[in-house]
Amino acid sequence: MTEQTRASMATQTPADVTTEAPADVVLETPLGDLGRRLVARRVKLGLTRRQTAARAEMATGYLRYLEEHPGAAPGSGVLMKLAEALETTVAELTGGAVDLPPGTGRAGHAPEFSRLRLGECRALLATHGVGRLAVPTTSGPVIVPVNYSVVDDAIVFRTAHGATPLLAAGCQVGFEVDRIDDAFSQGWSVLVRGPAREVTDPQERRRYTERAHSTPWAGGSRSVWVRIDPLSVTGRRITV
């Protein structure tokens, strides 16, 4: 696709594109970093491709091109419109903030702090992902990230013999998940406290394997299941 063709597509309205498939269907797996971030962000916001294109004032077909072609290199103007449409920043879309810790943005003008109800905490926990596990060690508490799932109202994750997360077994631990939106200086966190144990029952382990949301990102052989039974679940949210 030439630069002239790209420019033409970028100035079209969604109605100009007659061959576009339903906007909420991604026909190809995003191949480039930009495409993956665009899709992940609009899915997180619950936006279809057509809705996102309309917000960014570009053709739906052009957005599809940006999402599905690893060589796509839109100009700064296009990226700024996409960032605004997706309620984020250009740095986030282009990967410029990948190695930065969350929360480096400034506080909102009039932030509101609220405590989450138990039902809200459980709903946020059930979205799965990566949580932070605080375990005791001989040299002091250690916090490690783990991929987790919620099964039967308990936090479950896989680890390996000799790995730090297995130190949780037989101890009272803390487990925390959060989401930080640097673009808008807002977010939430949920803290779970309770006893952890290694799962040894074959049937129980099989159930967790079948219902697990994802496999550990660390890879390798991680066949040891650990379960945390929540005794205390608290959360808080900051909005602007």
Side-chain angles (χ1 to χ4, degrees):
M1 179 177 291
T2 65
E3 291 297 326
Q4 183 176 2
T5 302
R6 294 183 194 171
S8 175
M9 292 180 69
T11 56
Q12 287 179 303
T13 64
D16 294 325
V17 183
T18 59
T19 58
E20 175 68 12
D24 55 347
V25 177
V26 179
L27 298 181
E28 299 177 22
T29 301
L31 299 179
D33 287 342
L34 175 62
R36 285 195 292 268
R37 292 190 180 95
L38 287 172
V39 171
R41 184 62 185 171
R42 70 174 174 83
V43 168
K44 182 177 181 179
L45 294 177
L47 295 173
T48 65
R49 183 182 285 157
R50 190 176 301 280
Q51 289 170 330
T52 304
R55 281 188 172 195
E57 300 178 339
M58 65 176 58
T60 311
Y62 183 53
L63 178 57
R64 176 182 176 180
Y65 166 78
L66 295 178
E67 289 183 351
E68 297 182 354
H69 290 77
S76 59
V78 173
L79 288 172
M80 289 178 67
K81 285 188 174 183
L82 283 170
E84 183 177 358
L86 293 171
E87 302 175 11
T88 186
T89 64
V90 172
E92 289 288 347
L93 287 182
T94 57
V98 167
D99 293 323
L100 295 178
T104 56
R106 295 183 178 182
H109 176 65
E112 294 184 9
F113 176 89
S114 60
R115 297 192 182 280
L116 299 175
R117 296 187 299 272
L118 178 59
E120 293 177 294
C121 291
R122 291 191 181 280
L124 291 170
L125 281 169
T127 58
H128 308 289
V130 175
R132 298 172 179 84
L133 173 70
V135 298
T137 71
T138 55
S139 58
V142 172
I143 299 174
V144 290
V146 294
N147 296 89
Y148 77 97
S149 295
V150 176
V151 181
D152 302 331
D153 292 327
I155 306 295
V156 297
F157 62 88
R158 274 192 287 188
T159 186
H161 288 292
T164 299
L166 190 53
L167 295 176
C171 300
Q172 293 283 335
V173 300
F175 182 83
E176 191 260 3
V177 294
D178 58 57
R179 297 292 183 273
I180 305 299
D181 188 337
D182 268 311
F184 291 88
S185 302
Q186 59 188 8
W188 56 263
S189 64
V190 174
L191 175 63
V192 174
R193 284 172 287 189
R197 63 177 173 84
E198 181 180 347
V199 179
T200 57
D201 179 71
Q203 198 168 22
E204 188 178 6
R205 293 173 59 181
R206 191 180 310 113
R207 184 169 73 255
Y208 295 160
T209 301
E210 292 171 350
R211 298 176 60 181
H213 178 69
S214 64
T215 56
W217 288 4
S221 178
R222 298 179 184 275
S223 58
V224 182
W225 280 101
V226 176
R227 171 180 173 131
I228 302 172
D229 290 297
L231 291 182
S232 170
V233 182
T234 57
R236 58 185 182 174
R237 186 190 297 276
I238 298 176
T239 57
V240 292

